Amino acid sequence: MVASQIESLSLTQVAQQTRRAASQLAVLSTEDRNQALNAIADALTQATPEILEANQKDLDAAEQDGISPALYARLKLGESKLQSAITGVKDVAKLADPVGTVQINRELDQGLILQRVTCPLGVLGIIFEARPEALIQITSLAIKSGNGVILKGGKEAINSCQALVKVIHQALSNTKVNPDAVQLLTTREEIKQLLALDRYVDLIIPRGSNSFVRYVQDNTRIPVLGHADGICHLYIDKSANQTQAVEITVDAKTHYPAACNAIETLLVHQDIAATALPSIAKALIAEGVELRGDTATREIIEAQPATEEDWNTEYSDLILAIKIVDSVENAIAHINTYGSKHTDAIVTQDNTVAKMFQNQVDAAGVYHNCSTRFADGFRYGFGAEVGISTQQMPPRGPVGLEGLVTYKYKVTGDGHIAATYTGSNPKAFTHRNLNQ
Amino acid sequence: MVASQIESLSLTQVAQQTRRAASQLAVLSTEDRNQALNAIADALTQATPEILEANQKDLDAAEQDGISPALYARLKLGESKLQSAITGVKDVAKLADPVGTVQINRELDQGLILQRVTCPLGVLGIIFEARPEALIQITSLAIKSGNGVILKGGKEAINSCQALVKVIHQALSNTKVNPDAVQLLTTREEIKQLLALDRYVDLIIPRGSNSFVRYVQDNTRIPVLGHADGICHLYIDKSANQTQAVEITVDAKTHYPAACNAIETLLVHQDIAATALPSIAKALIAEGVELRGDTATREIIEAQPATEEDWNTEYSDLILAIKIVDSVENAIAHINTYGSKHTDAIVTQDNTVAKMFQNQVDAAGVYHNCSTRFADGFRYGFGAEVGISTQQMPPRGPVGLEGLVTYKYKVTGDGHIAATYTGSNPKAFTHRNLNQ
């Protein structure tokens, strides 16, 4: 369905339509889904002039509204960004199929076989920022994983999103994927309605500001994949290699301060603080980082005073809070109190301390002697990332395509009934694992 | 802490205490946790007289209150039930450790190793019916999986539960497991407070009536493992073996009608209805099943009229709703509309139809030529079952110990920073899987 048609349907009807199309998509072969992805890539290449023209409309409107240069840069698609997004679609086509993996293959009794097989979730609801190429990436991940998708992009990108979805629908109409599997919402009011559709939508992935993600988490019964905060810590143990301590701190703080895997708080063991902190501070200041420290820190280096609020803050900026601790236990306690279970790291040459830290810090990622910035689906080798989850239950941490599938148990027998295996003379199960 | 002490602490304090004890428990070795389980088993054996005495108090009070014979039978522990629960604790000790499994072991670059390792969730909140032996089973699964547990049993079992927890605490005090890891709540008011403690409790497992489970799902931000409804279907295809059709229907409906994996609705293909339905109905009636049918069904067999409400009802009783459909597609559509995503089955000799049914029915279990009653963690060979989940995301279906653990990503380097792998001359990741 083209975007203009959606307006005449209620969101419930749109979701039902998506669900029907998703049911068909779910049972297509790997080849059919990959073919659809390649058709989208080709259509986007051919339609490049129209897409860039629609993007220019968004840019003109944004300029009139006076949006910030950073948002403008995100909104601007341009030929090279579009080209690399198209390459991304082809790359997703080449990834291993997350659907149809046999996770358990077990004989329960002669002729009674249990298989646990991965299958699509159903319909995804994805709300993303005003970055047109995100729509391309999300759509390709949804189709690859056999899911329908209801998209809502940032309002500044409305013309770009509509142009992209039009091209995607045209491309899909020549493939086995029903174009209804990809839907675009265009108004902010629809987000609230979308969050209420727990009968038709199986997973919500919100991208954007922390407050927005929290709003989504608090306003839906649909499972949410995402994280509100990324309060990551680096702990410099008394047995740290000081060169590594400086390099890892600088990388984790300054390499991309707006990323969720950048650190916000540095914890330093008191026995190494006097020697390590000055060189760390010097390197950070050279990169333009503002330092805030507790009393003990400020006795060693110059820094603004840090308050309780600092330990709870994701700056997403060139600011770092520093605290001196008297033990690895207290470093762990601080992290488990103030952290957001995203990614925390230790620098130490003492493997016993490192092991303790990695076992006891409760976070999706716990690192030793490397930067927190490695917390990323591509860097982990997942090929594509659908988001980073800080919830306790799996999927946790950077989530690849596996976060977009679930599984079902298929049992096949030949008239087997449960009564055979109970009562006074029960038959025993064999529970024999078969080759997968 | 003994149960009497709890009353003087707020529930938040109890939860904090459980969390601290759980942190210690989480890092104990497999042997330490198994040793604690065996200590519990021994202590329960020794304390059998006191436990049965406490149970007798509950039984006396229940008799005075005039509870139903079925509830009384559940509440009654007795020596043999207690003995088999104790054997269960020893069996759980023998199960494979769900903690510490390396799921991913990958070199990201030389000297930079990513591991995904299973670890405990933290603290479980488990609300269960007035069945004292359930407390023993739940506690053993929690300790095995390295989790703290806050227990709330049905109020009729209060003396039994207090006696059991007292014995468990005494047993644990001689092991490496801090007794605070196991806590007992005793009042109904505490359930609501427990559901609000999303900061300290990581998973809620409600057992009991559908309405109670739904209440829990609607009143907490903590993930819930469980299912409100078990509306399971059996579809008799036109190519069914009619003997199997009769036997599987009788087993799935009558073997244990109160179980969630019993069927509530029978769908029959119109081409086989006239020959198959009479013998199915005869066998069901012989087992005392009340039949309710749509118009087409009632033209073939005698049955009460089925209404829309019947398709939505979990009878949990010897009642079966019957509907005649004109195709497997319509059987699938009916199930995907009215089912509760628990377990649905098809009887057919046509493997193409079976495959279509198993792929397109959206449920945790989709079976071919066998009874829905196999949907059970023990029958699947999981050794222990913590519950059956009908949610879309994993864990789904019968959940073994794996539902009580999560995982974390551990990355270990030697001073590796992300900047090395980006920019104008980026180093490539190796992404080489290592032996696990």
Side-chain angles (χ1 to χ4, degrees):
Chain A
M1 153 184 334
V2 294
S4 60
Q5 277 182 275
I6 289 185
E7 286 155 35
S8 59
L9 289 177
S10 78
L11 192 50
T12 304
Q13 289 171 311
V14 170
Q16 287 169 335
Q17 212 164 34
T18 315
R19 195 147 196 97
R20 274 194 297 275
S23 304
Q24 300 158 13
L25 170 54
V27 294
L28 292 183
S29 68
T30 309
E31 293 69 36
D32 287 340
R33 279 176 281 127
N34 288 341
Q35 202 165 43
L37 291 177
N38 288 320
I40 288 174
D42 292 344
L44 290 171
T45 304
Q46 277 182 13
T48 296
E50 296 98 280
I51 294 166
L52 295 183
E53 199 177 308
N55 184 241
Q56 191 56 51
K57 265 196 214 169
D58 287 331
L59 291 169
D60 292 347
E63 216 163 18
Q64 280 191 349
D65 289 352
I67 67 165
S68 77
L71 288 181
Y72 187 90
R74 280 194 186 184
L75 180 58
K76 188 176 164 72
L77 191 50
E79 197 153 355
S80 78
K81 251 202 227 171
L82 177 58
Q83 191 46 52
S84 93
I86 293 170
T87 306
V89 176
K90 291 184 185 162
D91 288 345
V92 168
K94 287 178 202 145
L95 289 176
D97 191 351
V99 175
T101 303
V102 178
Q103 299 178 321
I104 294 176
N105 189 19
R106 180 176 295 165
E107 182 196 81
L108 302 185
D109 188 13
Q110 207 185 344
L112 185 66
I113 308 298
L114 169 76
Q115 289 199 322
R116 185 164 92 183
V117 186
T118 59
C119 57
L121 277 171
V123 174
L124 315 174
I126 306 192
I127 309 161
F128 57 102
E129 60 277 38
R131 269 181 49 207
E133 77 276 19
L135 186 149
I136 300 172
Q137 188 202 16
I138 292 163
T139 303
S140 63
L141 294 172
I143 293 175
K144 178 77 184 189
S145 56
N147 289 292
V149 63
I150 300 177
L151 301 154
K152 170 69 180 75
K155 66 178 188 310
E156 298 84 358
I158 186 165
N159 289 295
S160 313
C161 288
Q162 285 178 329
L164 288 169
V165 169
K166 189 178 162 193
V167 173
I168 289 169
H169 280 167
Q170 282 168 349
L172 291 179
S173 66
N174 297 317
T175 73
K176 292 207 178 156
V177 176
N178 182 335
D180 283 352
V182 180
Q183 308 271 6
L184 178 69
L185 307 183
T186 50
T187 70
R188 193 167 174 84
E189 294 69 50
E190 288 166 318
I191 294 178
K192 199 161 182 190
Q193 295 174 46
L194 176 67
L195 298 182
L197 294 176
D198 54 319
R199 240 190 107 174
Y200 304 108
V201 180
D202 300 289
L203 181 68
I204 295 279
I205 304 183
R207 302 168 36 149
S209 72
N210 297 354
S211 59
F212 175 66
V213 174
R214 209 182 302 275
Y215 165 81
V216 169
Q217 287 170 332
D218 287 347
N219 285 282
T220 187
R221 296 177 62 184
I222 304 169
V224 177
L225 195 157
H227 61 97
D229 290 314
I231 302 182
C232 301
H233 298 76
L234 181 66
Y235 166 57
I236 311 296
D237 184 50
K238 65 177 171 185
S239 308
N241 171 318
Q242 296 202 27
T243 309
Q244 290 189 2
V246 174
E247 287 178 2
I248 292 173
T249 307
V250 170
D251 187 83
K253 180 68 249 181
T254 71
H255 185 241
Y256 188 9
C260 57
N261 57 15
I263 59 168
E264 312 299 336
T265 298
L266 181 72
L267 302 169
V268 183
H269 192 285
Q270 61 184 14
D271 293 358
I272 202 175
T275 56
L277 256 185
S279 48
I280 292 172
K282 192 178 159 197
L284 289 170
I285 290 165
E287 297 285 336
V289 179
E290 175 192 327
L291 305 180
R292 300 184 188 178
D294 68 347
T295 311
T297 299
R298 295 172 66 232
E299 283 168 6
I300 300 171
I301 58 165
E302 264 193 65
Q304 296 297 312
T307 65
E308 177 75 12
E309 204 192 327
D310 285 292
W311 317 130
N312 277 310
T313 301
E314 181 178 11
Y315 302 116
S316 299
D317 203 349
L318 287 173
I319 305 171
L320 183 68
I322 305 176
K323 184 182 181 180
I324 291 179
V325 295
D326 60 5
S327 62
V328 63
E329 286 85 354
N330 278 333
I332 294 168
H334 179 97
I335 294 170
N336 286 345
T337 304
Y338 297 101
S340 61
K341 303 191 179 186
H342 190 298
T343 306
D344 304 289
I346 183 173
V347 182
T348 186
Q349 296 298 108
D350 183 333
N351 287 335
T352 307
V353 169
K355 199 177 162 194
M356 181 179 170
F357 184 89
Q358 287 187 300
N359 284 337
Q360 294 189 21
V361 166
D362 182 16
V366 195
Y367 295 1
H368 174 206
N369 287 350
C370 58
S371 171
T372 54
R373 294 271 302 127
F374 287 108
D376 174 281
F378 292 94
R379 291 173 189 172
Y380 279 8
F382 296 163
E385 180 182 283
V386 300
I388 293 185
S389 167
T390 56
Q391 64 183 7
Q392 197 76 355
M393 303 274 290
R396 194 183 196 203
V399 180
L401 281 168
E402 70 174 331
L404 301 183
V405 298
T406 183
Y407 52 71
K408 58 170 78 163
Y409 289 94
K410 297 181 180 179
V411 181
T412 303
D414 188 25
H416 291 69
I417 60 173
T420 309
Y421 305 89
T422 53
S424 56
N425 187 21
K427 195 169 183 210
F429 288 101
T430 56
H431 288 154
R432 190 166 62 89
N433 285 329
L434 308 172
N435 291 332
Q436 285 180 23
Chain B
M1 146 183 341
V2 295
S4 61
Q5 277 182 272
I6 288 185
E7 285 154 36
S8 60
L9 287 178
S10 77
L11 191 52
T12 303
Q13 289 170 311
V14 170
Q16 287 169 335
Q17 214 164 31
T18 317
R19 189 141 202 103
R20 272 194 298 274
S23 303
Q24 300 158 11
L25 170 54
V27 294
L28 292 182
S29 68
T30 309
E31 293 69 37
D32 288 340
R33 279 175 281 128
N34 288 341
Q35 204 166 41
L37 291 177
N38 288 320
I40 289 175
D42 293 345
L44 291 171
T45 303
Q46 278 182 13
T48 296
E50 296 98 278
I51 294 167
L52 295 183
E53 200 177 306
N55 185 239
Q56 191 57 50
K57 265 197 216 168
D58 286 332
L59 291 169
D60 293 346
E63 217 163 17
Q64 280 191 348
D65 290 351
I67 67 163
S68 77
L71 287 182
Y72 187 90
R74 280 193 187 183
L75 180 58
K76 188 176 165 73
L77 193 49
E79 198 153 352
S80 78
K81 248 200 227 173
L82 178 58
Q83 191 46 55
S84 93
I86 293 170
T87 306
V89 176
K90 291 183 184 163
D91 287 346
V92 168
K94 287 178 203 144
L95 289 177
D97 192 350
V99 176
T101 302
V102 179
Q103 300 179 321
I104 295 175
N105 189 19
R106 181 176 295 166
E107 181 196 83
L108 303 186
D109 189 14
Q110 206 185 345
L112 186 66
I113 308 298
L114 169 76
Q115 289 198 323
R116 185 163 91 183
V117 186
T118 60
C119 56
L121 277 171
V123 174
L124 315 175
I126 307 194
I127 308 159
F128 56 103
E129 59 278 39
R131 268 181 49 207
E133 78 275 19
L135 186 148
I136 301 172
Q137 189 202 16
I138 291 163
T139 302
S140 63
L141 294 173
I143 292 174
K144 178 78 184 190
S145 56
N147 290 292
V149 63
I150 300 176
L151 300 154
K152 169 69 181 72
K155 65 179 187 309
E156 299 84 359
I158 186 163
N159 290 295
S160 314
C161 288
Q162 284 177 331
L164 288 169
V165 169
K166 191 177 161 195
V167 174
I168 289 168
H169 279 167
Q170 281 167 350
L172 290 180
S173 66
N174 298 317
T175 73
K176 294 207 177 155
V177 176
N178 183 335
D180 283 352
V182 180
Q183 308 272 7
L184 179 69
L185 307 184
T186 51
T187 69
R188 192 167 173 84
E189 294 67 51
E190 289 167 315
I191 293 179
K192 198 161 181 192
Q193 294 172 47
L194 176 67
L195 298 183
L197 294 176
D198 55 318
R199 240 192 108 173
Y200 303 108
V201 181
D202 300 289
L203 181 68
I204 295 278
I205 305 183
R207 300 166 40 145
S209 72
N210 297 355
S211 60
F212 175 66
V213 175
R214 209 182 300 277
Y215 165 80
V216 170
Q217 287 171 332
D218 287 345
N219 285 282
T220 187
R221 295 177 63 183
I222 305 169
V224 177
L225 195 156
H227 62 96
D229 291 312
I231 303 181
C232 301
H233 298 77
L234 180 65
Y235 166 58
I236 311 296
D237 184 50
K238 64 177 173 185
S239 309
N241 171 317
Q242 295 202 28
T243 310
Q244 291 189 2
V246 174
E247 288 179 2
I248 292 174
T249 306
V250 169
D251 187 83
K253 179 70 252 181
T254 71
H255 184 242
Y256 188 9
C260 57
N261 57 16
I263 59 167
E264 312 300 335
T265 299
L266 181 72
L267 303 168
V268 184
H269 193 284
Q270 61 183 16
D271 293 357
I272 202 175
T275 56
L277 257 184
S279 48
I280 292 173
K282 193 178 159 197
L284 289 169
I285 289 164
E287 298 285 336
V289 179
E290 175 192 328
L291 305 180
R292 300 184 188 177
D294 67 347
T295 311
T297 299
R298 295 171 67 230
E299 282 168 7
I300 301 171
I301 58 165
E302 266 193 64
Q304 296 298 311
T307 65
E308 176 76 11
E309 205 191 329
D310 285 291
W311 316 129
N312 276 310
T313 300
E314 180 177 12
Y315 302 115
S316 298
D317 203 348
L318 288 172
I319 305 171
L320 183 66
I322 306 176
K323 184 182 181 180
I324 290 179
V325 293
D326 61 5
S327 62
V328 62
E329 286 85 355
N330 278 333
I332 294 168
H334 179 97
I335 294 169
N336 286 345
T337 303
Y338 296 101
S340 62
K341 302 190 179 188
H342 190 298
T343 307
D344 304 287
I346 184 173
V347 182
T348 186
Q349 297 297 107
D350 183 332
N351 287 335
T352 307
V353 168
K355 198 176 162 196
M356 182 179 167
F357 184 88
Q358 287 186 301
N359 283 337
Q360 294 188 19
V361 167
D362 183 16
V366 194
Y367 295 2
H368 174 206
N369 286 349
C370 59
S371 171
T372 53
R373 294 272 300 126
F374 287 108
D376 175 282
F378 292 95
R379 292 174 187 171
Y380 279 8
F382 296 163
E385 178 181 283
V386 299
I388 294 185
S389 166
T390 55
Q391 64 183 5
Q392 197 76 354
M393 301 275 289
R396 193 183 196 202
V399 180
L401 280 168
E402 70 173 331
L404 302 182
V405 298
T406 183
Y407 53 72
K408 59 169 78 161
Y409 289 93
K410 297 180 179 178
V411 181
T412 303
D414 187 25
H416 292 69
I417 59 172
T420 309
Y421 305 88
T422 53
S424 56
N425 188 21
K427 198 172 180 206
F429 288 102
T430 56
H431 289 152
R432 192 166 60 89
N433 285 329
L434 307 172
N435 291 333
Q436 285 181 24

